[in-house]
Amino acid sequence: EAEHPELKTPASPSVRVGGQPLTAFKQVRHEIPMLSLDNVFSGEELQAFEQRMRDRLKREVSFTFCCEPKLDGLAVSLLYVDGQLVQAATRGDGTTGEEITENVRTIKAIPLSLRGEGWPARLEVRGEVVMYKKDFAALNEKQEALGLKTFANPRNAAAGTLRQLDISITASRPLRFLAYSLGEAQWQPAPACTLQSEAMARLREYGFLTPPDGKLCESVQAVEDYAQWVREHRPQFRMEIDGAVAKLDNLEAQQALGFTARAPRFAVAFKFPAEQAQTLLKDIEIQ
């Protein structure tokens, strides 16, 4: 590439390395707000969530839910134009985030060019940047060996790594991106998706990882059962999770339901209680 700069492409492996440190992060305004989800903590609250959707739609639709574990990481938006990654941004306050394009390019799990062909002319992919538990443990061991500060948990480690002005630090740490939804999408020439589950399958075809062990649930009782299964298997997941997410599978119904000022009306997070442990106090030093 140094000898033939005209041959360098936006998807070149050299882009993954990380260049000169940034001086600051630019602000990016989200075309569609990146809102957090409302929480429920019981089957009764889940039933009330479904009833609100029925009351608002005032027509019969299939109340099938696309469910997945709720990842405990940092929400990120990726924008692809003609199949090429052109911009990445954090959620920020939901309306405006920070541009982290150069940092994101160093994450090998993120395709710089979409796989396959016939993608939307403009596609925004939303997902979570996480650090797997085993990678987090190895990073803390390395930090400790170097006499550097260790991280409290994988989420803090992922967030701190992604927001480094020195991109080489981001490139040196094991981040992963798992896609969970679409934002802006101009489908031509690609055929439009009509279901959330179809959109997730399309994202996997384009080269993205998606949250593991997702499931289609035909009723709110099935959603509650799924959330209980996720909670019981929480220790076995490779990344930290703090709940289960249920989204109405019908994308047209999603659009009709829309958003409140702070959350979508078609999706909800079934949150788990915080994990608890006992601590033994061994000594008190008086100074």
Side-chain angles (χ1 to χ4, degrees):
E1 289 179 353
E3 294 178 8
H4 303 280
E6 72 279 5
L7 298 179
K8 185 171 182 175
T9 70
S12 168
S14 64
V15 178
R16 302 275 192 196
V17 177
Q20 295 297 316
L22 303 173
T23 56
F25 291 112
K26 297 178 183 176
Q27 299 293 297
V28 172
R29 186 173 180 85
H30 302 299
E31 293 294 326
I32 300 173
M34 288 186 72
L35 303 177
S36 56
L37 299 178
D38 281 336
N39 298 328
V40 299
F41 297 91
S42 67
E44 291 77 15
E45 292 180 354
L46 200 58
Q47 292 280 358
F49 160 69
E50 185 195 48
Q51 190 59 51
R52 287 195 299 273
M53 287 194 294
R54 290 184 182 277
D55 293 343
R56 191 169 189 86
L57 286 171
K58 296 177 181 176
R59 57 186 169 83
E60 278 302 312
V61 299
S62 171
F63 275 82
T64 299
F65 296 91
C66 186
C67 299
E68 63 201 22
K70 186 176 183 299
L71 309 178
D72 191 14
L74 187 72
V76 166
S77 161
L78 307 176
L79 179 62
Y80 290 81
V81 176
D82 296 329
Q84 303 294 320
L85 176 65
V86 297
Q87 179 179 279
T90 62
R91 172 189 282 158
D93 63 4
T95 302
T96 304
E98 293 178 322
E99 184 181 352
I100 50 169
T101 310
E102 298 308 314
N103 303 63
V104 155
R105 285 181 181 277
T106 69
I107 302 175
K108 296 179 179 62
I110 291 178
L112 302 179
S113 298
L114 298 179
R115 291 182 189 167
E117 55 187 18
W119 339 275
R122 187 177 175 92
L123 178 69
E124 182 193 357
V125 180
R126 294 179 172 183
E128 205 86 356
V129 170
V130 300
M131 189 176 290
Y132 284 2
K133 296 173 186 175
K134 65 177 180 63
D135 295 330
F136 169 71
L139 175 62
N140 263 354
E141 284 181 15
K142 181 179 177 182
Q143 292 287 105
E144 196 168 359
L146 294 172
L148 302 175
K149 178 184 174 183
T150 57
F151 295 96
N153 54 59
R155 186 188 188 283
N156 285 6
T161 298
L162 197 58
R163 295 190 68 258
Q164 290 287 333
L165 291 172
D166 186 347
I167 302 166
S168 65
I169 296 177
T170 307
S172 70
R173 293 180 183 170
L175 297 179
R176 301 171 197 259
F177 175 84
L178 288 85
Y180 56 59
S181 71
L182 300 178
E184 180 188 4
Q186 297 175 4
W187 283 107
Q188 292 77 17
C193 294
T194 59
L195 301 173
Q196 175 73 23
S197 52
E198 182 186 359
M200 298 300 290
R202 196 82 63 91
L203 285 172
R204 287 189 286 272
E205 291 174 7
Y206 292 158
F208 292 96
L209 299 174
T210 56
D213 296 301
K215 185 178 182 181
L216 279 177
C217 295
E218 304 289 338
S219 66
V220 288
Q221 182 58 57
V223 172
E224 186 177 1
D225 293 343
Y226 172 78
Q228 183 58 36
W229 179 88
V230 172
R231 182 177 178 183
E232 291 170 358
H233 292 79
R234 187 177 184 179
Q236 280 79 57
F237 282 92
R238 289 182 290 178
M239 70 291 292
E240 292 287 354
I241 59 172
D242 58 358
V245 174
K247 302 171 188 173
L248 198 61
D249 197 35
N250 186 314
L251 292 180
E252 186 273 330
Q254 282 190 18
Q255 191 169 13
L257 286 164
F259 303 83
T260 67
R262 60 187 181 85
R265 293 191 178 98
F266 52 81
V268 74
F270 199 109
K271 292 296 289 287
F272 301 152
E275 289 187 293
Q276 296 182 337
Q278 289 187 331
T279 298
L280 175 64
L281 178 60
K282 294 183 176 181
D283 192 17
I284 298 174
E285 296 182 2
I286 307 298
Q287 294 185 5

